[in-house]
Amino acid sequence: MRLKNIKGAKETVLKSHYVIENPNFFCGKWNQCFQNENPIYIEIGMGKGRFIIENAIRYPNINFIGIDVYYSVLIKAVKTLETLNLPNLKIIPMDAREIEQIFDHEIERLYLNFSDPWPKNRHEKRRLTSEIFLKKYDSIWKKDKWISMKTDNRHLFEYSILSCTNYGYHIKEISLNLYEDNPENNIPTEYEIKFSNKGFPIYKIEFKK
Ligand SMILES: C[S@@+](CC[C@H](N)C(=O)[O-])C[C@H]1O[C@@H](n2cnc3c(N)ncnc32)[C@H](O)[C@@H]1O
């Protein structure tokens, strides 16, 4: 994904009380950060934050952590959050490649929404459902493993089915056209709104292990 570099984005993002600058500190003790024992759900590639912010509003008894590598997108989330009081939401600016150093057996659900597809074979390692990432996720799970994914990209969708099932995940739920299936309680992401408005089918899949 190409992004405009926004001047001062890093400083603005790090100033927000939603943002955890040194997430390694909480590894294994994120419940202390939230000061409760509620389940913790994370989203990798939260972008401008529509999905995770709406989740945090709708489900106050779940703790949410959004992750993204670019300050230039996180600044939009931080600005939206200025007017909201959501003690059950934190944001970590980081590359998900480091995820094993941040969580230790404490995550109950992982959302991957409209992840970058990295279509070239030589970039397979960067896909967030590649075996490399699935191995990293092994150490984040509290008990059951639950990955929830939405995408408009057929290739990434098919790739993820193969990659996750080869790794031992099973498919709990699948939709080849989310908007035709009209699911209850769907919270759309920014990309989802853009692509569904253009008439593209949205694929959704839930993997469990
Ligand atoms: C295509 S955008 C989708 C944004 C949002 N989930 C949505 O559906 O509107 C993908 C996002 O994933 C982030 N991303 C990609 N690879 C990442 C990684 N390795 N670690 C953290 N964030 C990543 C990008 O910065 C970008 O914001």
Side-chain angles (χ1 to χ4, degrees):
M1 191 176 67
R2 271 177 214 283
L3 270 182
K4 259 195 276 169
N5 188 25
I6 299 176
K7 214 173 153 210
K10 181 173 177 182
E11 293 71 22
T12 308
V13 167
L14 292 182
K15 256 193 262 161
S16 167
H17 68 274
Y18 285 97
V19 175
I20 307 291
E21 193 175 351
N22 296 307
N24 309 56
F25 175 80
F26 286 108
C27 186
K29 49 186 180 186
W30 279 96
N31 284 328
Q32 287 179 20
C33 176
F34 289 104
Q35 296 178 359
N36 61 49
E37 295 296 319
N38 292 341
I40 303 174
Y41 293 2
I42 64 172
E43 183 187 15
I44 299 179
M46 63 172 277
K48 297 175 188 168
R50 189 189 191 287
F51 176 84
I52 201 144
I53 293 171
E54 181 59 31
N55 267 284
I57 293 169
R58 213 181 275 189
Y59 305 107
N61 294 327
I62 294 172
N63 297 320
F64 291 93
I65 301 175
I67 293 168
D68 206 286
V69 69
Y70 288 118
Y71 290 104
S72 309
V73 289
L74 287 177
I75 193 169
K76 304 269 169 35
V78 160
K79 293 226 157 124
T80 306
L81 286 165
E82 272 171 10
T83 54
L84 297 169
N85 178 25
L86 295 170
N88 60 329
L89 176 62
K90 297 290 173 211
I91 291 174
I92 306 178
M94 64 174 266
D95 191 318
R97 280 185 296 188
E98 317 283 317
I99 200 154
E100 298 149 292
Q101 295 156 40
I102 308 301
F103 303 113
D104 186 11
H105 298 97
E106 49 201 328
I107 301 306
E108 299 198 28
R109 204 188 288 199
L110 163 61
Y111 291 105
L112 298 174
N113 293 319
F114 298 80
S115 305
D116 296 330
W118 296 109
K120 291 184 181 146
N121 285 343
R122 66 188 158 91
H123 289 148
E124 183 195 342
K125 285 192 288 195
R126 300 184 191 180
R127 296 180 199 147
L128 294 176
T129 46
S130 66
E131 190 183 354
I132 289 179
F133 274 97
L134 295 177
K135 275 195 183 135
K136 289 179 189 285
Y137 303 150
D138 278 346
S139 67
I140 72 170
W141 301 114
K142 186 169 184 180
K143 192 167 158 262
D144 300 329
K145 305 169 180 181
W146 185 345
I147 301 175
S148 180
M149 175 180 177
K150 292 193 275 188
T151 182
D152 63 306
N153 188 290
R154 180 90 192 190
H155 177 257
L156 181 68
F157 180 67
E158 289 173 358
Y159 169 85
S160 301
I161 291 175
L162 284 178
S163 178
C164 291
T165 54
N166 282 342
Y167 200 73
Y169 283 86
H170 62 270
I171 297 171
K172 179 85 181 115
E173 204 183 300
I174 189 164
S175 171
L176 299 179
N177 193 330
L178 191 60
Y179 284 72
E180 257 177 20
D181 293 344
N182 198 17
E184 266 178 57
N185 303 325
N186 181 50
I187 298 180
T189 76
E190 276 94 3
Y191 270 66
E192 183 174 338
I193 292 171
K194 195 161 101 184
F195 291 119
S196 59
N197 282 347
K198 286 185 181 167
F200 297 145
I202 304 298
Y203 307 105
K204 180 178 178 190
I205 190 155
E206 306 233 331
F207 298 105
K208 284 198 176 177
K209 193 173 168 184

